[in-house]
Amino acid sequence: MMKNQFAVFLLSAILTTGVAPVYAAPLMSPSPQVIAQADARQKIAAEFIDMLVKGDTRSAIEQYDSIAQEDITPQSLGQLWDDLINETGPFQKQASIRSEGNMVIVSCEFEKSKRDLFITFNDSNKITGLDYVQPQ
């Protein structure tokens, strides 16, 4: 009987308002471990950018996982950073930092423009990639 009353109520609510009621699911808070991992990755990413700014590509390479280290050299990482500086002007500051899954996005300000740097991580908090989007 109770199911029938609810069905009648639901049907009348839809017919009179034209809208089905919305049931909100509770938001899931991230676990303390997920928060700690995001915080650790953000710290690593900020330090990584600082290393690039200082030209310390050898230390920056050590932040990469072993597989990525096989494909990148201090010289190629330095060239990537130099190419970015040539496009954007000298580095000014890290404006903000946020985590999205296994990626940390560092918003940086340069003399001529702003860029988001995308730093991806593996489960061991080692860097697996660095990228940025070219302006349109």
Side-chain angles (χ1 to χ4, degrees):
M1 182 72 173
M2 188 74 128
K3 287 183 182 180
N4 287 342
Q5 289 176 339
F6 181 74
V8 170
F9 169 75
L10 184 60
L11 181 60
S12 65
I14 292 170
L15 292 174
T16 57
T17 64
V19 180
V22 176
Y23 296 97
L27 294 176
M28 298 292 291
S29 297
S31 71
Q33 293 86 0
V34 169
I35 293 170
Q37 186 173 46
D39 289 346
R41 288 176 176 173
Q42 287 180 8
K43 182 177 185 237
I44 293 165
E47 291 170 352
F48 177 75
I49 298 300
D50 287 341
M51 291 173 201
L52 294 176
V53 169
K54 293 175 184 170
D56 188 4
T57 55
R58 290 201 184 282
S59 295
I61 289 289
E62 293 174 9
Q63 303 306 311
Y64 279 88
D65 74 346
S66 59
I67 296 169
Q69 285 182 13
E70 294 174 7
D71 296 329
I72 191 165
T73 65
Q75 295 77 18
S76 62
L77 182 59
Q79 186 61 54
L80 176 73
W81 185 255
D82 289 345
D83 290 347
L84 178 62
I85 296 301
N86 288 335
E87 293 173 23
T88 60
F91 177 84
Q92 302 293 311
K93 69 177 184 174
Q94 294 181 35
S96 66
I97 190 165
R98 66 188 187 279
S99 295
E100 292 186 15
N102 68 339
M103 184 183 309
V104 173
I105 302 165
V106 183
S107 296
C108 296
E109 293 181 11
F110 297 86
E111 185 176 83
K112 297 178 192 173
S113 65
K114 297 178 183 178
R115 285 290 165 85
D116 286 342
L117 305 182
F118 302 91
I119 303 170
T120 53
F121 288 85
N122 66 15
D123 291 337
S124 300
N125 288 348
K126 295 301 271 182
I127 295 173
T128 59
L130 166 66
D131 202 4
Y132 58 90
V133 177
Q134 300 287 341
Q136 306 240 346

